[in-house]
């Protein structure tokens, strides 16, 4: 009888214990200044975005709260802000499926390292919780995705 109880106890306890430490949290609040190379920046960024792009230069600020990294799952929240210099032929990929828009709030841009101050050259697009600014003459993309 003791063996049976022990077996039941372990069968119930093991799933609880295994859920305590196996997953690596994606929670972060930082920017690209801590990465010395473009490839390191890109590798880190790709943990937080679903797309894969080519970059000539890359800077970002990411705030990501991984709601699934605790004992009791909660909502995941994110605010991903990107400034990228990209090949000319890839500019339109950034706005694919989005609609042209007028934007008056560009205050979020200033949180990105090396962010441009002048926004007049940017065309703006929006869709599905994202906003994208494209400066074709400079091959620059400003991107923001937020969610909770």
């Amino acid at each position: 009888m003791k063996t049976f109880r022990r077996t039941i106890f372990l069968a119930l306890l093991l799933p609880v214990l295994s859920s305590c430490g196996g997953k690596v949290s994606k929670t972060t609040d930082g920017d690209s200044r801590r990465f010395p190379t473009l490839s390191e920046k890109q590798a880190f960024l790709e943990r937080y975005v679903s797309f894969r792009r080519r970059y000539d230069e890359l800077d970002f600020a990411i705030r990501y709260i991984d709601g699934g990294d605790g004992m009791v799952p909660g909502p995941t929240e994110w605010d991903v802000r990107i400034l990228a210099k990209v090949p000319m032929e890839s500019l339109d990929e950034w706005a694919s499926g989005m609609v042209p828009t007028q934007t008056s709030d560009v205050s979020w841009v200033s949180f990105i390292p090396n962010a441009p101050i002048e926004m007049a050259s940017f065309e703006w697009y929006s869709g599905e919780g994202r906003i994208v600014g494209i400066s074709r003459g400079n091959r620059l993309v400003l991107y923001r995705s937020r969610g909770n």
Side-chain angles (χ1 to χ4, degrees):
M1 187 70 162
K2 283 184 181 179
T3 304
F4 179 73
R5 285 185 194 160
R6 240 183 251 155
T7 303
I8 295 295
F9 176 75
L10 288 174
L12 295 172
L13 183 62
L14 285 175
V16 171
L17 291 176
S18 67
S19 70
C20 291
K23 184 179 177 218
V24 176
S25 174
K26 289 174 57 177
T27 297
T28 192
D29 189 0
D31 61 44
S32 55
R33 289 179 287 203
R34 65 181 165 161
F35 301 101
T37 67
L38 177 61
S39 60
E40 288 174 297
K41 290 177 184 182
Q42 184 171 350
F44 184 81
L45 173 66
E46 288 179 350
R47 293 181 60 199
Y48 300 95
V49 296
S50 59
F51 55 81
R52 301 297 175 256
R53 302 275 197 266
R54 292 182 315 158
Y55 305 98
D56 294 329
E57 296 174 15
L58 178 62
D59 281 295
F60 54 78
I62 299 174
R63 182 175 176 272
Y64 189 95
I65 299 171
D66 188 347
D69 67 355
M71 286 288 288
V72 178
T76 296
E77 300 176 23
W78 67 90
D79 189 351
V80 176
R81 306 166 190 203
I82 300 170
L83 167 64
K85 187 169 193 172
V86 300
M88 183 66 79
E89 63 273 8
S90 69
L91 284 171
D92 289 327
E93 292 175 22
W94 289 86
S96 179
M98 301 175 84
V99 295
T101 189
Q102 297 292 325
T103 187
S104 57
D105 179 17
V106 291
S107 60
W108 58 271
V109 173
S110 65
F111 292 92
I112 305 170
N114 302 310
I117 296 169
E118 180 56 47
M119 300 290 157
S121 66
F122 285 87
E123 309 162 7
W124 294 96
Y125 302 86
S126 65
E128 299 179 13
R130 297 172 293 145
I131 188 162
V132 171
I134 297 176
S135 176
R136 294 184 186 281
N138 298 311
R139 298 186 298 128
L140 292 177
V141 174
L142 287 166
Y143 170 94
R144 186 180 193 188
S145 174
R146 293 190 302 175
N148 51 2

